[in-house]
Amino acid sequence: MPMLILVRHGRSTANTAGVLAGWTPGVALDERGTAQAAALPGRLAGVPLAAAVTSPLQRCRETLAPLLAARPELPLHPDDRIGECHYGDWSGRKLAELADEPLMNIVQQHPSAAAFPGGESMRAMHARAVEAVRDWNARIESEHGADAVYLMCSHGDIIKALVADALGLHLDLFQRISVEPCSVTAIRYTPTRPFLVRLGDTGDFAGLAPREENSGHRGGDAAVGGDAGAP
């Protein structure tokens, strides 16, 4: 079965503003995110890619633009199922103010029971993303062979949910996983079980240095939607 390369989009204007973007239109890469995207073709230069699948949101398309320019033969397939979680009424709000919402404790401690007002549940988000990967694994293997490698560009919570699935973890444990902007995660699928080959690899260890907490991101909490990464 194929190898899946998961790329989180580069740092966005919402990341640096401390805003939960969700499906809000017009959320672009910031200056650092643009530089991260520009470096992606070099980081993946030695990896043969059969196809690229992307969230339809602008920040993901902008992240893949340099890679597609470097590989004009690479087919691109949008798939809504790997789009960001539908945060509903929380979309566009500051993470700092959301931190005091009673629902936030459920999101952090028991995400399988969390449903966003006017949006979707985290359980539904998880299910659609896993279904998308299963479908694309079958399609890529059918069209390109069992040793093919393909790429998906998506969002922090989606990638964390897919990693949890690959590791056989309950969704309630997925907040223990962290993936920075433009990080690369690789999962090799087999007929019996997946293998996590890389997790959140940025090739940059600046993110390991102590830093001030992002607004709305308290010490023991996961950053909903994914944090802004290293400064």
Side-chain angles (χ1 to χ4, degrees):
M1 295 180 72
M3 173 88 78
L4 170 60
I5 306 293
L6 289 161
V7 176
R8 185 182 166 203
H9 62 77
R11 195 174 74 176
S12 72
T13 53
N15 292 144
T16 46
V19 169
L20 188 61
W23 285 69
T24 304
V27 177
L29 299 183
D30 68 5
E31 185 176 356
R32 180 177 175 83
T34 301
Q36 290 170 332
L40 192 59
R43 293 171 62 200
L44 297 176
V47 183
L49 295 173
V53 184
T54 186
S55 157
L57 296 176
Q58 178 180 340
R59 52 198 182 274
C60 288
R61 289 182 171 276
E62 289 180 351
T63 298
L64 288 187
L67 180 65
L68 295 172
R71 303 193 193 194
E73 77 288 353
L74 185 64
L76 178 66
H77 307 279
D79 192 328
D80 286 0
R81 294 176 297 177
I82 61 166
E84 182 61 285
C85 186
H86 291 276
Y87 295 116
D89 297 344
W90 278 26
S91 299
R93 293 180 61 188
K94 288 278 191 180
L95 288 165
E97 66 181 52
L98 290 172
D100 295 326
E101 293 278 355
L103 177 60
M104 182 60 84
N105 190 53
I106 305 300
V107 170
Q108 294 293 328
Q109 304 299 330
H110 190 20
S112 65
F116 296 97
E120 71 179 332
S121 67
M122 300 197 90
R123 188 174 63 254
M125 173 203 75
H126 174 258
R128 62 173 164 86
V130 169
E131 178 186 50
V133 168
R134 298 292 188 271
D135 288 349
W136 279 105
N137 281 349
R139 176 172 172 177
I140 295 297
E141 181 172 6
S142 173
E143 295 178 0
H144 301 281
D147 295 327
V149 182
Y150 74 107
L151 178 148
M152 280 186 172
C153 186
S154 188
H155 307 266
D157 281 350
I158 295 287
I159 294 173
K160 288 161 55 178
L162 291 171
V163 169
D165 173 74
L167 293 176
L169 296 177
H170 195 283
L171 183 61
D172 286 345
L173 301 179
F174 99 125
Q175 297 289 27
R176 301 184 183 195
I177 299 165
S178 177
V179 289
E180 290 204 3
C182 223
S183 63
V184 172
T185 293
I187 302 171
R188 179 165 59 87
Y189 288 88
T190 78
T192 55
R193 58 184 172 181
F195 291 87
L196 181 63
V197 181
R198 293 284 189 279
L199 175 61
D201 188 343
T202 63
D204 176 2
F205 292 97
L208 301 181
R211 63 182 190 264
E212 293 182 8
E213 295 292 341
N214 294 333
S215 97
H217 181 189
R218 299 172 296 187
D221 287 351
V224 180
D227 66 18

